[in-house]
Amino acid sequence: MRRTLYYIGLAVAVMFLSTGFQKQPHIDVKNDELLVKFTEKDAFTISSFLTRYDMQVIQSIDKLNIKHIRVNSGQDLATIITELNKSGLVQYAEPVYMYSATITPNDPKLGNQWGFLNTGQDGGTAGADVRATQAWEISTGDRNVIVGIVDTGIDYTHQDLAENIFVNPGEDAWADPNNPATGNGIDDDGNGYIDDWKGWNFKDGTNNALDDNMHGTHCAGIIGAAGNNATGIAGLNWQVQMMPLKFLDDMGFGSSADAVAAIIYAADMGVQVLSNSWGGSGFSEALRDAVQYAMDHDVLFVAAAGNNGVDTDVSPEYPACYDVDNIISVAASDHNDTRALWGSGGGGDNCGIVCSSAYAALPGSNYGAITVDLAAPGKEIFSTIPGNQYANMTGTSMSTPFVAGAAALLLSNKTGLSVLDVKNRILSTVDKLNTFDGITVSGGRLNVAALLEFDE
Ligand code: CA
């Protein structure tokens, strides 16, 4: 547990975006919470131990035998972790890490979807796109495919998203489909979540997964804004079901504990693809276990490579860099098919969700010959934001839903594919590019038409 103790000593509030400037990645943890995976199943022994150290269980993640625990604020977390590890009761005890959205937003402005079809309309290179219009000749998506968006929530009242939001068939519909407070107050499907008709808010423990930021709504539009509806934009999937899994707060921050709960919920609810546009430097064993749980439930786990401009083979970010086979880590390309740069080198005054001068002039997309799988458009991407609005946003956060959306489109067109089939097809059908050769596993940028045309 040396690593854990070391991290506790570095309990400094820092977000994903800033770590590229640090020699030593800063890792943010909660100072009075733990995640503990018990080996001892005897409830009395566990409860005696918790009482002895004045700890309360906040939530039980039973599928992983993990308890999320609050520690009396007067106690030293490092000491407790040491005691827990000596007790023989636990497989591991770790702090609750904080992660953040991988976002570099621009001011809202009208734009276009160059990532889907690039004709050089905004000064870029024609053809530097994911071939969406060709892919749509093969499939435009299917309502039977379920994609979970682990993020800040989704504005499911948005005119371009409403018809493609997942509804839980086992839960009674809310009286007002736009108002989570109008449920019947009953856990109709008995899954432990009351009135979870349109996803769940894991941060607050409520059924209100509406987006109070804009990040999750922007990602949702890339995956599945309704197509051919004479409104706004089209997503990669014109028809799909998108499940809001809110764990990031209104500033784009969220904890490992809530991310773990969201991933388990999604896997149990039949999600096939998870889109994860967030991350951080904290290595959480519980989060890794949750990603493995998703793998064991045939869920593809698409994750942002991060926005620090660093080689993640050297400076890993999580969850993108866990050694679990269902993970696809995504870098950002720009409209010239090169690795996206932010800040002055990449055009515009971009900054993070928590905008401060310390985070200005960010270097660009992360990369990694071993740890980053492929690139997808991630600069000045036009998509939905709350309140029936649209805006450009930038970051590997935007690249991630391109790949998650492509996986969903493939699943709409072909049945019987395993998670590894989907991943291998995505990586083997990229457009190979010198700009991503040697800095990604596949050496290229997503090509959705080639993905759908692929025939072994
Ligand atoms: Ca329920």
Side-chain angles (χ1 to χ4, degrees), residues 50 53-59 68-72:
L50 295 178
Y53 288 95
D54 193 16
M55 299 188 280
Q56 292 88 41
V57 175
I58 300 170
Q59 64 175 328
H68 180 196
I69 288 169
R70 175 166 293 115
V71 176
N72 183 308

Side-chain angles (χ1 to χ4, degrees), residues 155 157-160 385-390:
D155 177 8
T157 71
H158 196 291
Q159 61 189 2
D160 243 351
I385 60 170
N388 290 332
Q389 301 295 305
Y390 301 84

